[in-house]
Amino acid sequence: MKWKKDKNDNTDNIEKIEKKNKKQKNKKKRKKANDQIVRIQELEEMLEKSGEDIDPETIVSMYVPHRKPKRIGAALLRMDKLNLVLMGMLLIVAVLFIIAFSQEKMGNFTINLNRLELYRRGISISETGEFNDATARLTASSVKDATNISIDDIPDNLDGESGSHNGKNYMAYTYYVRNAGKEDLGYIAKITLDSCAKGAEEAVRVAVWRNGKRVVYAEPAKDGSAEKGCVNFKSEDVVCSYHEENFLVGNVDRYTIVIWMEGDDPECVDSIIGGSVQFSMHIDSDIDDNTSLVWKFVKDIKDTLSGDKPINAAGNEAPNDSYYSDRDITWENRRNK
């Protein structure tokens, strides 16, 4: 009996110790929670002093450990519409910036036709001589991981194809310009150097075939003279320009552009490895038309209402008073053969 009594006493002691430990743990938890509440209250007071109106629930969602993510979502839903609109606009700008940056890095060769002064007057460009896809903007595919190549290794028949026809280590693109409008006019086609890196422009070559005649352009040599077999770039950012003063109705011009890094150029050295160049071609009117946009718009409406055969610049149809009134204007039946 004495042993049993001692056993009960030990059990009572153990229970007392466990209760005491449990109270101490609960006390520590309450103290920790109180410390967190104090810190949040202090933060809220600081924010109130700064003059900002902050929802306490938002503060709790951000600072209390192990808070469920849905609290943050709820806080976002409570934001006023103006803040949400601003956040949306910032996101759109960020996406556009990324897209623009990516496009720049691609190094594509683009051809841009002046829409207002040329496209609306019946001048268009196309990858094909039939002008089934007449437009005001074309983009050539880029060449990836290109290295240098000699001009002697580039095929001689590149002017005989259409659209993009790149080869190993060179870019080649052929397109057509057509006058299917109602009047003879002039244009200026200009190739520009838009960007470059690591001095790659010093060894680049740009060959241009215009209606079958080829000219090769390059940066001047170190002594200022022209590279062998080349014509110097017109300026630091302009490769060349072609002025067609009398682009008659029914005329079609063909351009082939070939770009490569010339391996035989003395400036083609190891330091330009990893470099890049980006070019574009712009086709503009050779006259400055100071007529207001409103008047041009009115004139287009007047032509439509009066039956004066308004220009269908996006397609093949030419007005009846053009050089060809009974068929489409193509490279094969062009006026300037």
Side-chain angles (χ1 to χ4, degrees):
M1 295 296 295
K2 186 177 181 180
W3 176 82
K4 186 175 182 181
K5 183 179 180 181
D6 291 341
K7 184 177 180 181
N8 290 336
D9 290 342
N10 290 335
T11 302
D12 293 340
N13 290 335
I14 292 172
E15 291 178 353
K16 289 179 180 180
I17 293 171
E18 289 179 348
K19 288 181 180 179
K20 185 177 180 180
N21 290 337
K22 188 174 182 180
K23 287 181 179 179
Q24 288 178 348
K25 288 181 180 179
N26 290 337
K27 186 176 181 181
K28 288 180 179 180
K29 288 182 179 179
R30 287 195 298 271
K31 183 178 179 182
K32 186 177 180 180
N34 289 335
D35 289 341
Q36 288 180 339
I37 293 173
V38 170
R39 286 198 296 272
I40 295 170
Q41 289 175 344
E42 290 175 352
L43 177 61
E44 185 179 1
E45 289 174 0
M46 291 174 62
L47 292 173
E48 287 178 353
K49 288 180 181 179
S50 67
E52 297 184 16
D53 185 13
I54 304 296
D55 187 353
E57 185 66 22
T58 303
I59 299 173
V60 172
S61 297
M62 291 188 291
Y63 291 98
V64 172
H66 310 298
R67 199 71 171 183
K68 293 182 179 179
K70 66 181 182 180
R71 293 286 188 177
I72 297 175
L76 290 174
L77 291 174
R78 285 194 295 271
M79 293 176 64
D80 79 25
K81 293 182 180 179
L82 179 59
N83 288 339
L84 290 174
V85 170
L86 290 175
M87 288 181 64
M89 292 176 65
L90 287 174
L91 180 61
I92 293 172
V93 170
V95 171
L96 292 176
F97 176 79
I98 292 172
I99 292 174
F101 183 77
S102 300
Q103 290 292 332
E104 181 176 314
K105 288 297 182 181
M106 288 180 186
N108 290 335
F109 181 81
T110 58
I111 301 98
N112 299 289
L113 180 74
N114 187 312
R115 288 180 176 274
L116 186 61
E117 301 302 336
L118 293 178
Y119 193 58
R120 62 178 287 274
R121 295 166 70 181
I123 310 301
S124 59
I125 55 179
S126 174
E127 288 188 342
T128 65
E130 291 74 28
F131 285 83
N132 296 324
D133 55 351
T135 182
R137 179 181 173 85
L138 294 169
T139 302
S141 58
S142 60
V143 180
K144 297 180 180 179
D145 302 324
T147 184
N148 62 75
I149 187 176
S150 171
I151 188 173
D152 297 328
D153 297 326
I154 295 178
D156 296 328
N157 62 344
L158 293 179
D159 189 40
E161 302 184 44
S162 297
S164 287
H165 45 99
N166 299 339
K168 186 177 181 180
N169 300 321
Y170 67 85
M171 187 221 78
Y173 190 77
T174 299
Y175 74 97
Y176 303 81
V177 186
R178 178 185 67 177
N179 185 352
K182 296 186 292 184
E183 57 184 315
D184 302 334
L185 43 75
Y187 71 82
I188 297 175
K190 181 188 302 181
I191 297 179
T192 59
L193 173 60
D194 300 330
S195 66
C196 54
K198 302 186 69 173
E201 72 280 5
E202 299 294 338
V204 74
R205 295 290 187 272
V206 180
V208 180
W209 281 261
R210 182 176 183 271
N211 295 333
K213 296 181 180 180
R214 190 193 74 170
V215 179
V216 181
Y217 299 92
E219 283 275 12
K222 286 187 176 181
D223 60 3
S225 62
E227 296 285 2
K228 182 180 178 180
C230 301
V231 175
N232 284 345
F233 284 2
K234 192 171 184 178
S235 66
E236 290 185 358
D237 57 355
V238 177
V239 175
C240 60
S241 63
Y242 292 88
H243 186 187
E244 176 55 68
E245 297 183 5
N246 195 21
F247 196 45
L248 306 177
V249 174
N251 280 13
V252 179
D253 287 342
R254 182 177 67 193
Y255 288 89
T256 295
I257 317 298
V258 180
I259 302 173
W260 74 96
M261 301 299 296
E262 178 53 58
D264 294 332
D265 191 309
E267 276 73 52
C268 189
V269 293
D270 290 344
S271 61
I272 69 171
I273 294 176
S276 63
V277 288
Q278 182 175 354
F279 297 92
S280 60
M281 193 165 188
H282 306 271
I283 305 175
D284 295 308
S285 174
D286 64 347
I287 59 172
D288 294 327
D289 188 353
N290 296 321
T291 306
S292 69
L293 292 176
V294 174
W295 176 248
K296 290 175 182 177
F297 180 68
V298 170
K299 187 175 185 302
D300 288 342
I301 295 177
K302 180 181 177 182
D303 287 346
T304 301
L305 296 177
S306 64
D308 193 18
K309 301 300 180 182
I311 301 302
N312 180 13
N316 286 325
E317 298 178 5
N320 288 337
D321 55 351
S322 70
Y323 183 75
Y324 293 109
S325 59
D326 57 342
R327 62 186 184 276
D328 298 335
I329 301 171
T330 67
W331 171 251
E332 295 300 326
N333 67 8
R334 68 190 184 280
R335 184 178 184 181
N336 56 325
K337 281 188 176 182

